[in-house]
């Protein structure tokens, strides 16, 4: 049954997110592949493309492997071109974010244009918010930070109350507005929300570890060493068992903690 397949796929995506939160990327990939395979077995349109996009996103966002992400994205688009996928099944949100993160703003704009053409005949709940989110991603890629802030605020109208906060915080952060960035990052990590995981549309897998680390950096820069150490410790606790390829990031933050504690002791 299609409903059973959807449930199994969502469960696998939640598990992938739980592993990604902890920096267990190999396990996250395994469960993303399981989710994709489950959908492909019943012929779900867009399953191959969505799986490839999710893999590429892990590469560019968590691993920092831009070349690997571009290669996987191109392979995914070659194996299942977006034009071959019905409008309702196209991963617009993920593709726009990935194109923008890879500096392919023109491809993201073409995606929005395709989205707009399809919307003339098919309208879905949440499409207006999705469009604002995609435009926010493009604005961020083009360093139009005030526009990104506006678009993300317009997009922030879904059931998940925290999902767009990290992107909004980043728009302020990149515009050198540290106070607003700190306030919004803090609201994101402190706000309870049942929709925080990917299977429910959330963002923790992508943003929780990065948020802890960035809050530490911003607070350290402002001279608030005690709070900075607190967030650095949260980051280390979250990723203490992360995959070996991520351990250099953990070691670097441990060094920051040691330096700050040493400074406080003098």
């Amino acid at each position: 049954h299609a409903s059973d397949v959807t449930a199994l796929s969502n469960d696998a995506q939640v598990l992938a997110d739980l592993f990604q939160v902890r920096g267990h990327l190999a396990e996250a990939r395994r469960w993303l592949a399981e989710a994709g395979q489950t959908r492909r077995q019943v012929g779900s349109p867009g399953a191959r493309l969505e799986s490839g996009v999710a893999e590429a996103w892990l590469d560019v966002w968590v691993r920092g492997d831009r070349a690997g992400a571009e290669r996987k994205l191109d392979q995914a688009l070659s194996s299942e071109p977006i034009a071959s996928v019905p409008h309702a099944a196209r991963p617009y949100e993920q593709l726009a974010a990935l194109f923008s993160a890879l500096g392919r703003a023109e491809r993201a704009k073409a995606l929005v244009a395709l989205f707009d053409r399809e919307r003339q005949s098919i309208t879905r709940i949440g499409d207006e918010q999705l469009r604002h989110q995609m435009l926010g991603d493009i604005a961020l890629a083009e360093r139009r930070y005030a526009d990104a802030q506006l678009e993300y605020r317009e997009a922030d109208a879904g059931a998940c109350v925290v999902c767009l906060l990290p992107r909004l915080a980043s728009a302020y952060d990149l515009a050198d507005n540290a106070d607003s960035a700190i306030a919004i990052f803090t609201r994101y990590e402190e706000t309870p929300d049942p929709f925080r995981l990917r299977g429910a549309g959330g963002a923790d897998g992508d943003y929780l570890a990065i948020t802890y680390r960035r809050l530490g950096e911003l607070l350290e820069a402002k001279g608030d060493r005690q709070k900075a150490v607190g967030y650095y410790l949260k980051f280390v606790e979250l990723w203490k068992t992360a995959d070996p390829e991520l351990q250099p990031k953990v070691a670097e933050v441990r060094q920051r903690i040691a330096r700050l504690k040493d400074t406080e002791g003098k």
Side-chain angles (χ1 to χ4, degrees), residues 163-254:
C163 288
L164 285 176
L165 291 180
R167 297 190 194 197
L168 179 60
S170 294
Y172 281 102
D173 191 5
L174 291 166
D176 293 325
N177 186 337
D179 289 340
S180 292
I182 290 169
I184 298 167
F185 275 132
T186 302
R187 178 152 42 108
Y188 160 66
E189 69 100 12
E190 288 183 349
T191 302
D193 191 334
F195 296 101
R196 296 189 76 107
L197 294 175
R198 187 195 313 271
D204 273 3
D206 292 333
Y207 291 105
L208 188 59
I210 291 170
T211 294
Y212 287 154
R213 176 171 177 155
R214 188 58 187 147
L215 275 170
E217 292 169 345
L218 289 167
L219 288 162
E220 181 181 355
K222 291 181 73 69
D224 193 338
R225 292 192 292 264
Q226 186 175 1
K227 279 190 177 180
V229 167
Y231 282 113
Y232 285 147
L233 287 170
K234 285 186 176 184
F235 172 82
V236 169
E237 176 64 24
L238 195 64
W239 271 16
K240 65 183 179 183
T241 61
D243 288 358
E245 66 178 310
L246 298 179
Q247 284 303 322
K249 297 178 187 291
V250 179
E252 182 188 339
V253 173
R254 288 186 192 275

Side-chain angles (χ1 to χ4, degrees), residues 4-25:
D4 292 337
V5 170
T6 300
L8 286 170
S9 176
N10 282 344
D11 287 347
Q13 285 185 311
V14 169
L15 284 168
D17 218 35
L18 286 169
F19 281 112
Q20 186 181 333
V21 166
R22 294 286 179 179
H24 299 162
L25 302 188

Side-chain angles (χ1 to χ4, degrees), residues 152-168:
Y152 287 145
R153 288 192 181 279
E154 289 292 329
D156 191 14
C160 179
V161 299
V162 301
C163 288
L164 285 176
L165 291 180
R167 297 190 194 197
L168 179 60

Side-chain angles (χ1 to χ4, degrees), residues 8 29 38 60 74 82 93 105 126 130 136 145 222 250:
L8 286 170
R29 280 199 169 88
T38 301
V60 71
D74 290 341
I82 192 166
E93 175 186 350
L130 173 56
Y145 302 129
K222 291 181 73 69
V250 179

Side-chain angles (χ1 to χ4, degrees), residues 13 39 44-57 73 76-77 79-100 107-108 111-112 114-115 118 124 127 130-131 133-134 137 167 198:
Q13 285 185 311
R39 292 195 301 273
S44 296
R48 190 177 302 278
L49 175 58
E50 191 168 348
S51 293
V53 169
E55 284 265 345
W57 180 255
L73 174 59
L77 288 168
S79 67
E80 190 168 26
I82 192 166
S84 70
V85 179
H87 171 63
R90 289 173 183 165
Y92 287 108
E93 175 186 350
Q94 297 89 340
L95 267 174
L98 188 52
F99 281 140
S100 299
R107 293 290 301 274
L111 187 69
V112 173
L114 174 64
F115 179 76
E118 297 286 5
R124 302 173 302 172
D127 271 357
L130 173 56
R131 188 176 190 277
Q133 181 175 329
M134 291 192 289
D137 290 342
R167 297 190 194 197
R198 187 195 313 271

